[in-house]
Amino acid sequence: MKVLKFGGTSVGSPERMKNLLDIIDARERQIVVLSAVSGTTNSLVEIGQAYLAGDKDKAAQLITVLKDKYEVFINELFAQSEFLAQGKEVIDYHFSLLSGLANDLFTSIEEKIILAQGELLSTTLYHVYLKEIGVPSVLLPALEFMKTDEDNEPEVDYITSHLTPLLEKAPDNNLFITQGYICRNAYGEVDNLRRGGSDYTASLIGAGIRSEEVQIWTDIDGMHNNDPRIVKGTRPIAQLSFDEAAELAYFGAKILHPQSVFPAQKYKIPVRLLNTMDPQAKGTLITNESEKNQIKSIAAKDGITAIKINSSRMLLAYGFLRRVFEVFERYKTSIDMITTSEVAVSLTIDDTTHLDEILDELKAFGDVEVDTDLTIVCVVGDFAADKHGFGSRVLDSLKHLPLRMISYGGSDHNLSVLVKTVDKVEALRSLHSRLF
Ligand code: ASP
Ligand code: MG
């Protein structure tokens, strides 16, 4: 059984939603995971923020604007008045739930309930649409099988044990529709897998039911070997290993939610990235295989801040790095790149929410310097078999640019350099023309 995930733009208009059946083969048994209609989750975030700020008028205004969009949406989606009425009931239900929150004490629990409405809306409307056109389908409530534990980690076994019976209840049904992104947490509250999490849902379901394949349908033709907005002549990568995809997903290749490769990797479920706008295109296939000794892709991540800690106490000491890392741990700030010398360590972060506090604490260790407006440029591939020459090719391509940090050998799949963001375009172009 395959799992197909369609992102927000793939369900972004009534027309797009109708066209899904060009891709979904209703004669095959499969699970279709949908995101919210594009723009919806952003609006829900704003509504939640307005409520949190106690600004009920603003929340009400935002809710009206969003609801109006859905009124237009269903008018185009449904042809028959009977089904239009059902669609209307669906949106009335979800929007009165949103408005009703004005009367409650508003906490992060209610905020997450708000965020869940986008996927609940898109899937329910699609389900009603399928009914209208006479295509049998079953709507699977993700909140009944998608669950995270105390550490916010999704539980694949829980998915297996709770989703399988739902599928068995409908042995003759082919098409199952479910919500991406949303789940319940360890306390049974409505929660989510964080922004962009529908990919993660698809991969988790794929793992949970040991699917033959997970397909992620977006609006680009797979993962490209460089940023197509910056570099001319990029190509989709035909095949990637999970390790390479994981490196790329973090380093700015926004096509895939970073965590979503792990469940598929663990359960050896192939993941295919495909393009709704060009369904025949081959896209990118991600499997456990890796093509040895190949440079696959170049990616970049902006908004990076580097912190250098200079400390004579680091010399010949042990436990120094642990104490440094603990500071970041206390502020729940993840570190991306690290380089060390005997008397200094440099590391990068992309979340600067607690930068001031972190710097204050780090000053206890020695001199601290901060550089902002940096970009990590990373080259991904399989360099394990024959490592020599590879580093020099990358560095040679960048020899005309100042490099703040270089990280190589952390894995067999990644060489990263830290450059000034103003040099990013040149770095990407120069690497592209010399490596490919
Ligand atoms: N709708 C959610 C978001 O916009 C989840 C997703 O689309 O993957 O982040
Ligand atoms: Mg996405």
Side-chain angles (χ1 to χ4, degrees):
M1 197 172 178
K2 286 183 185 155
V3 179
L4 280 67
K5 178 259 170 178
F6 294 94
T9 41
S10 304
V11 294
S13 68
E15 196 195 337
R16 288 285 194 91
M17 220 182 225
K18 291 180 191 176
N19 289 344
L20 292 186
L21 276 180
D22 295 345
I23 291 167
I24 301 168
D25 183 351
R27 293 165 307 185
E28 242 184 76
R29 201 164 150 90
Q30 64 206 292
I31 298 181
V32 172
V33 177
L34 299 184
S35 289
V37 171
S38 58
T40 300
T41 310
N42 287 344
S43 302
L44 295 172
V45 168
E46 282 183 58
I47 293 166
Q49 282 167 350
Y51 272 134
L52 270 182
D55 195 344
K56 292 181 184 174
D57 292 340
K58 183 166 178 209
Q61 242 174 22
L62 291 164
I63 291 169
T64 310
V65 173
L66 188 62
K67 188 173 183 199
D68 288 346
K69 283 194 198 156
Y70 276 86
E71 301 272 4
V72 176
F73 196 98
I74 58 167
N75 269 304
E76 280 173 42
L77 184 62
F78 300 107
Q80 301 166 36
S81 57
E82 181 197 343
F83 293 95
L84 178 62
Q86 285 185 31
K88 177 88 178 101
E89 253 174 57
V90 171
I91 66 173
D92 283 348
Y93 171 80
H94 291 282
F95 281 93
S96 62
L97 188 150
L98 291 176
S99 311
L101 292 170
N103 309 320
D104 288 340
L105 178 68
F106 197 85
T107 67
S108 63
I109 297 180
E110 283 72 27
E111 190 181 18
K112 288 176 190 155
I113 293 176
I114 292 186
L115 294 178
Q117 302 310 309
E119 272 71 11
L120 291 167
L121 273 164
S122 62
T123 49
T124 316
L125 290 176
Y126 190 55
H127 180 60
V128 177
Y129 169 72
L130 290 174
K131 260 201 277 183
E132 181 184 72
I133 61 166
V135 173
S137 71
V138 169
L139 188 59
L140 299 169
L143 296 177
E144 281 181 23
F145 60 82
M146 194 54 75
K147 192 175 153 301
T148 52
D149 63 17
E150 282 87 356
D151 302 319
N152 283 320
E153 288 297 324
E155 295 181 72
V156 173
D157 291 344
Y158 189 96
I159 299 169
T160 309
S161 61
H162 288 73
L163 177 54
T164 314
L166 296 179
L167 298 172
E168 281 167 357
K169 263 206 276 188
D172 302 323
N173 181 69
N174 280 345
L175 204 51
F176 294 88
I177 315 291
T178 195
Q179 302 84 26
Y181 178 60
I182 65 174
C183 63
R184 282 193 193 275
N185 61 26
Y187 316 103
E189 298 155 5
V190 174
D191 210 323
N192 59 67
L193 301 172
R194 292 196 275 273
R195 296 305 305 273
S198 295
D199 299 343
Y200 200 14
T201 300
S203 170
L204 286 162
I205 291 178
I209 64 162
R210 311 295 189 266
S211 170
E212 59 184 284
E213 180 172 301
V214 172
Q215 299 182 349
I216 307 285
W217 288 87
T218 60
D219 48 8
I220 26 177
D221 48 359
M223 238 188 238
H224 274 236
N225 63 354
N226 205 331
D227 188 334
R229 292 163 305 181
I230 297 178
V231 179
K232 280 199 202 96
T234 64
R235 293 179 279 105
I237 310 161
Q239 194 275 337
L240 272 177
S241 71
F242 283 112
D243 290 325
E244 293 160 349
E247 302 278 6
L248 284 173
Y250 173 74
F251 285 98
K254 293 219 176 50
I255 178 162
L256 192 63
H257 181 277
Q259 273 158 315
S260 56
V261 290
F262 298 118
Q265 178 169 30
K266 182 160 174 210
Y267 293 90
K268 300 190 171 57
I269 317 288
V271 175
R272 224 179 260 282
L273 308 178
L274 295 156
N275 185 0
T276 324
M277 311 299 275
D278 184 7
Q280 301 312 321
K282 279 182 60 198
T284 299
L285 176 64
I286 310 171
T287 63
N288 277 308
E289 311 291 310
S290 78
E291 298 171 78
K292 296 280 174 245
N293 226 353
Q294 282 240 9
I295 296 173
K296 287 296 184 64
S297 182
I298 301 161
K301 188 173 170 74
D302 293 335
I304 303 294
T305 298
I307 302 169
K308 185 195 288 167
I309 305 136
N310 245 299
S311 174
S312 51
R313 277 158 51 200
M314 194 177 154
L315 193 66
L316 303 175
Y318 50 82
F320 180 81
L321 285 179
R322 176 179 52 76
R323 291 197 297 278
V324 168
F325 290 162
E326 273 169 357
V327 174
F328 290 86
E329 190 179 346
R330 275 199 286 287
Y331 293 100
K332 294 192 162 53
T333 300
S334 74
I335 298 170
D336 300 322
M337 258 176 105
I338 315 165
T339 53
T340 64
S341 82
E342 286 308 321
V343 289
V345 54
S346 275
L347 38 83
T348 69
I349 58 174
D350 58 16
D351 174 2
T352 53
T353 319
H354 299 292
L355 183 60
D356 292 341
E357 294 101 310
I358 290 172
L359 294 177
D360 277 344
E361 292 204 25
L362 290 177
K363 280 177 192 146
F365 299 113
D367 291 337
V368 180
E369 283 169 45
V370 180
D371 290 319
T372 57
D373 302 312
L374 301 170
T375 294
I376 299 176
V377 172
C378 95
V379 180
V380 166
D382 191 315
F383 322 128
D386 180 14
K387 275 185 175 170
H388 70 86
F390 175 73
S392 78
R393 278 171 71 198
V394 172
L395 294 181
D396 194 51
S397 313
L398 300 171
K399 66 182 171 209
H400 54 307
L401 298 175
L403 305 180
R404 172 66 181 78
M405 287 165 66
I406 301 170
S407 175
Y408 181 46
S411 80
D412 291 335
H413 309 285
N414 179 339
L415 190 164
S416 294
V417 293
L418 188 65
V419 299
K420 291 189 183 127
T421 301
V422 289
D423 291 333
K424 172 179 85 167
V425 170
E426 175 52 26
L428 291 181
R429 288 185 182 152
S430 181
L431 283 167
H432 198 81
S433 64
R434 285 172 178 79
L435 298 181
F436 297 128

